[in-house]
Amino acid sequence: MTGVLLFSLLACTTLHLLSRALRRYLLKKETILLDLPFLGQAREEATKIKGTVVVCGGSISGLLAARVCHDHFERVVIVEPEAWLSTEDGRICESWNQRNKRTRVMQYNSTHGNLVPITDGLTRLFPNFEAECQKSGISIVPGDFRLSPGGHTVLCPHHEYSTGSVPSTILAGRRATETLIRRLTLDQQTYPNIQQISGTVTGVKRTTTNSDDGTDRYLDKVTIRTESGDSRSITEIISVLVVDCTGPTRAGEKWLRHAGFLANGSNNIENSSLKSSKLKTATYDPQMHYMTFGLSIPPSIAATIPEYVEKKDAPGIFAYKGDASKTNTVCVAAKGEGDFLTITCGAWGSNASLPDKFEGVKAHLESVKSATPIPEWIWNFLDLCQQPEVQSTLQVTKVRTPPSFWTHFESAGDVLPSNWIAIGDSVCVVNPIYGQGGTKAMIGAVSLNSTLHQLYKKSRTEQEKQTFLPQDFSQRFFRTQANKIASIWMGNKMIDYAFKSTIPEEGETLDTGSFIRWYLNRLERLCDSDKQIGSLFWHSLNAYGVSIDVLHPVIFIKVIFHVIVTSKFWYGSR
Ligand SMILES: Cc1cc2nc3c(=O)[nH]c(=O)nc-3n(C[C@H](O)[C@H](O)[C@H](O)COP(=O)(O)OP(=O)(O)OC[C@H]3O[C@@H](n4cnc5c(N)ncnc54)[C@H](O)[C@@H]3O)c2cc1C
């Protein structure tokens, strides 16, 4: 008997230790949590890699990539076509007074939420982050997003953190977020090696020496078209690394094909391994539409609803998403910088009707058919938003969000140049309603930093530290990044496939992943009563969970138990 007990104890302990080790391994592989401590740790100036990094695109991904590269390379040049972004207006503290408008980023005035990894990354990259947020009226608050999938409000796992609250996020819309990151990155006093120039990258050139040592797999120049008044000129920058951050334009792929990479049987490629195109792009279309109502509520008016005052210092005022078996709508109110907030009415499907006037917001919120009653103060708050002082600040924008895609550079093998990488929306675009695009850009920047850190640790001599990137550099980076964005892609897709209007990926149907969707739907029903399940939702939204979390035996048992209990109730009520 004692033997059996001892054996069971030993087996349980071993299993426990093994599962902890597996989870730690997956945390490293699938999230940025264990990479974050290395962010912002710069090499000594003398050991920085010689040469210039050219970052193509000066939006969120480009700015983050440039800041990371500053810690590892001698010089960084950001090339951005929108010339005003290189002026004071592109870095202004009070972003609401910005005179210029973004022409290449359609979501500049749409709703925008920042998840926790963005703040976790920015605080490490910029020691003056908090002070600069303050100058821009951006609050830093615990990341309680008050999500209510199917109408069940996720229990936020404050209790799991020693500070008594979950890690923080910034309350800032898209314009304020991008402008803040630009001001921090282009601070010439702190980061003198980063320069931004106005121009459009038009192509890349490969190293001309075609030797057996593979040097022809490196790019050595970036071609840029600059415009000044009526005159146009073409410049070339010799580059040690090229980072494509051109967003959904995915301009990098075109430059590579033109330079003889990726293309089938291109004439100027001797090496046969470069002849076959192995680059695959997965695409599906959630057919998401939404209206954003941007408002500003002065404190004196806000004070009339105490619940709003109490809840406004959180990124989510409320976020109701309907159960896909009953409805296709979503309604979210999110706090931005200063007194700004946005109310978003969204729907899956091309025929979905959306309110084009603020008066229609209440009906839209009702259309989510919440499983739990929507609190009275929310309806009062929507009434308050209709007061003339608030309505006079109203800005309405409508977007049809683009199809989601993921280009699998990580599986492209040696058809890519060794010193070319891509980050952010140039690699993968996900349904923006989940607010994970900025997090994906941060994941890319953190992956780049970790790849460069590993390279530094492996270099034996000072000379090695400062020279060329290895031939497998690009592949190492893309694999690291892909492992960390996979959960965002899959998670979004599984939710989007629940809506009949979604156009699935080639080779799939909307039934793909139906068991997972059923299981997730069951979890949704428990996320407002079970702390462990609430924590699972919060961590996976922030890309801080790992793939096995959802299959934790205790969670699995809870789901099964819930299925049994609720079906008994159903039979009893007949
Ligand atoms: C409607 C909508 C709402 C969204 N809401 C959210 C949200 O709430 N939260 C969130 O985190 N994410 C959200 N996203 C996603 C988020 O905006 C993107 O993931 C994020 O902007 C990615 O940034 P990026 O730098 O990769 O690309 P982009 O922001 O698209 O920037 C690309 C940059 O490249 C430049 N460029 C283009 N071509 C060239 C060229 N040839 N040479 C040089 N530069 C070039 C452009 O001028 C631009 O500055 C939303 C997206 C949409 C469409």
Side-chain angles (χ1 to χ4, degrees):
M1 185 65 181
T2 323
V4 173
L5 272 177
L6 267 177
F7 177 77
S8 310
L9 194 68
L10 196 68
C12 284
T13 312
T14 313
L15 215 64
H16 177 67
L17 289 175
L18 278 176
S19 67
R20 280 187 63 163
L22 174 64
R23 189 158 196 283
R24 198 172 164 79
Y25 164 77
L26 292 175
L27 272 181
K28 173 78 191 139
K29 184 179 170 197
E30 297 178 356
T31 77
I32 56 167
L33 275 170
L34 304 184
D35 299 81
L36 278 171
F38 300 102
L39 202 58
Q41 286 189 16
R43 296 178 188 212
E44 279 173 28
E45 215 54 46
T47 60
K48 284 189 176 174
I49 300 169
K50 297 270 176 241
T52 302
V53 178
V54 178
V55 177
C56 315
S59 185
I60 296 181
S61 305
L63 294 164
L64 295 177
R67 170 62 191 89
V68 163
C69 287
H70 174 273
D71 286 347
H72 299 272
F73 293 86
E74 203 178 35
R75 185 168 171 247
V76 185
V77 174
I78 304 172
V79 185
E80 168 56 48
E82 290 194 46
W84 71 273
L85 296 175
S86 299
T87 69
E88 199 48 43
D89 202 30
R91 301 189 285 265
I92 191 169
C93 288
E94 294 173 343
S95 61
W96 51 92
N97 288 331
Q98 208 156 54
R99 289 186 312 277
N100 293 279
K101 293 261 175 300
R102 273 300 235 148
T103 52
R104 288 176 173 245
V105 174
M106 69 148 156
Q107 64 271 32
Y108 203 56
N109 290 316
S110 282
T111 191
H112 180 93
N114 292 295
L115 296 175
V116 164
I118 297 178
T119 304
D120 275 347
L122 293 177
T123 45
R124 284 169 172 92
L125 286 172
F126 303 102
N128 56 340
F129 176 65
E130 273 191 49
E132 291 300 322
C133 281
Q134 238 175 27
K135 286 186 197 164
S136 290
I138 296 174
S139 308
I140 306 176
V141 299
D144 184 352
F145 299 94
R146 302 210 181 101
L147 287 189
S148 303
H152 302 276
T153 307
V154 171
L155 288 179
C156 193
H158 296 297
H159 62 282
E160 289 179 17
Y161 291 85
S162 55
T163 52
S165 56
V166 290
S168 295
T169 188
I170 47 170
L171 303 187
R174 166 66 193 227
R175 185 181 53 195
T177 305
E178 189 186 311
T179 307
L180 169 73
I181 301 177
R182 183 168 301 108
R183 187 167 72 250
L184 289 162
T185 309
L186 300 184
D187 172 1
Q188 282 293 291
Q189 301 285 324
T190 322
Y191 310 110
N193 304 346
I194 303 179
Q195 184 196 356
Q196 178 162 298
I197 60 170
S198 305
T200 305
V201 175
T202 53
V204 288
K205 288 189 177 163
R206 62 194 305 147
T207 306
T208 40
T209 48
N210 197 1
S211 60
D212 290 341
D213 64 4
T215 47
D216 59 340
R217 281 183 46 198
Y218 285 81
L219 302 175
D220 64 359
K221 281 184 194 131
V222 175
T223 316
I224 298 156
R225 193 184 62 228
T226 54
E227 280 164 60
S228 162
D230 288 342
S231 68
R232 282 182 168 190
S233 56
I234 300 289
T235 343
E236 285 184 341
I237 301 185
I238 298 175
S239 50
V240 66
L241 173 69
V242 183
V243 191
D244 175 10
C245 296
T246 57
T249 343
R250 295 148 78 185
E253 273 181 65
K254 291 161 212 150
W255 311 327
L256 290 185
R257 284 185 204 284
H258 203 251
F261 291 92
L262 306 175
N264 289 328
S266 171
N267 294 336
N268 57 351
I269 299 169
E270 294 301 322
N271 185 341
S272 62
S273 68
L274 298 180
K275 285 185 178 172
S276 64
S277 177
K278 298 180 202 160
L279 196 57
K280 300 271 179 296
T281 298
T283 313
Y284 77 92
D285 190 354
Q287 301 211 66
M288 187 85 213
H289 296 70
Y290 54 79
M291 302 291 297
T292 301
F293 299 94
L295 298 159
S296 173
I297 306 188
S300 57
I301 297 185
T304 58
I305 301 191
E307 287 98 331
Y308 170 65
V309 176
E310 189 195 310
K311 309 232 181 233
K312 78 177 174 48
D313 289 329
I317 300 167
F318 62 80
Y320 284 89
K321 176 192 151 292
D323 179 334
S325 63
K326 300 185 184 118
T327 175
N328 62 342
T329 52
V330 58
C331 192
V332 179
K335 190 70 185 54
E337 64 281 9
D339 297 330
F340 291 99
L341 62 91
T342 51
I343 298 176
T344 306
C345 298
W348 282 258
S350 53
N351 297 326
S353 72
L354 294 173
D356 49 10
K357 297 222 162 52
F358 192 86
E359 290 72 31
V361 172
K362 275 186 169 181
H364 193 81
L365 179 56
E366 266 165 16
S367 78
V368 301
K369 300 183 181 158
S370 172
T372 59
I374 295 173
E376 197 52 37
W377 74 264
I378 291 183
W379 302 110
N380 296 339
F381 157 73
L382 293 176
D383 285 337
L384 176 143
C385 292
Q386 295 205 47
Q387 290 192 15
E389 296 94 318
V390 181
Q391 285 291 307
S392 64
T393 65
L394 182 69
Q395 284 193 343
V396 187
T397 51
K398 183 175 186 174
V399 284
R400 184 323 189 178
T401 72
S404 300
F405 73 83
W406 183 5
T407 303
H408 290 284
F409 293 111
E410 78 285 2
S411 313
D414 53 8
V415 300
L416 292 174
S418 303
N419 60 342
W420 180 88
I421 60 167
I423 286 178
D425 280 16
S426 59
V427 179
C428 174
V429 162
V430 290
N431 186 345
I433 198 68
Y434 311 114
Q436 293 174 311
T439 292
K440 190 163 47 60
M442 181 58 80
I443 290 174
V446 173
S447 303
L448 173 59
N449 185 61
S450 294
T451 313
L452 288 164
H453 259 281
Q454 280 158 15
L455 196 67
Y456 181 75
K457 272 199 306 199
K458 276 193 187 159
S459 322
R460 284 172 306 251
T461 63
E462 290 298 297
Q463 206 201 346
E464 236 178 66
K465 284 181 178 135
Q466 297 173 17
T467 45
F468 242 39
L469 298 169
Q471 280 197 25
D472 64 348
F473 178 77
S474 158
Q475 278 306 290
R476 273 199 230 174
F477 163 77
F478 278 123
R479 275 196 300 271
T480 307
Q481 175 175 251
N483 286 331
K484 294 177 197 292
I485 62 175
S487 67
I488 295 184
W489 172 261
M490 271 314 279
N492 280 220
K493 195 163 82 161
M494 285 303 99
I495 303 173
D496 290 334
Y497 273 26
F499 297 95
K500 292 197 170 49
S501 49
T502 298
I503 302 167
E505 213 177 295
E506 200 182 312
E508 293 185 346
T509 69
L510 292 183
D511 285 337
T512 306
S514 53
F515 173 74
I516 300 173
R517 243 180 334 276
W518 172 85
Y519 187 70
L520 286 178
N521 183 274
R522 285 285 161 176
L523 287 172
E524 262 180 28
R525 299 184 202 189
L526 290 167
C527 71
D528 54 354
S529 56
D530 187 293
K531 282 184 176 176
Q532 189 187 12
I533 295 174
S535 168
L536 178 78
F537 272 78
W538 187 89
H539 284 92
S540 62
L541 173 74
N542 285 291
Y544 279 170
V546 299
S547 48
I548 55 164
D549 287 349
V550 73
L551 296 170
H552 190 290
V554 177
I555 292 186
F556 194 73
I557 290 166
K558 283 175 182 171
V559 168
I560 301 298
F561 184 71
H562 185 253
V563 170
I564 295 168
V565 170
T566 50
S567 54
K568 255 194 189 160
F569 171 78
W570 186 74
Y571 283 121
S573 69
R574 284 182 112 192

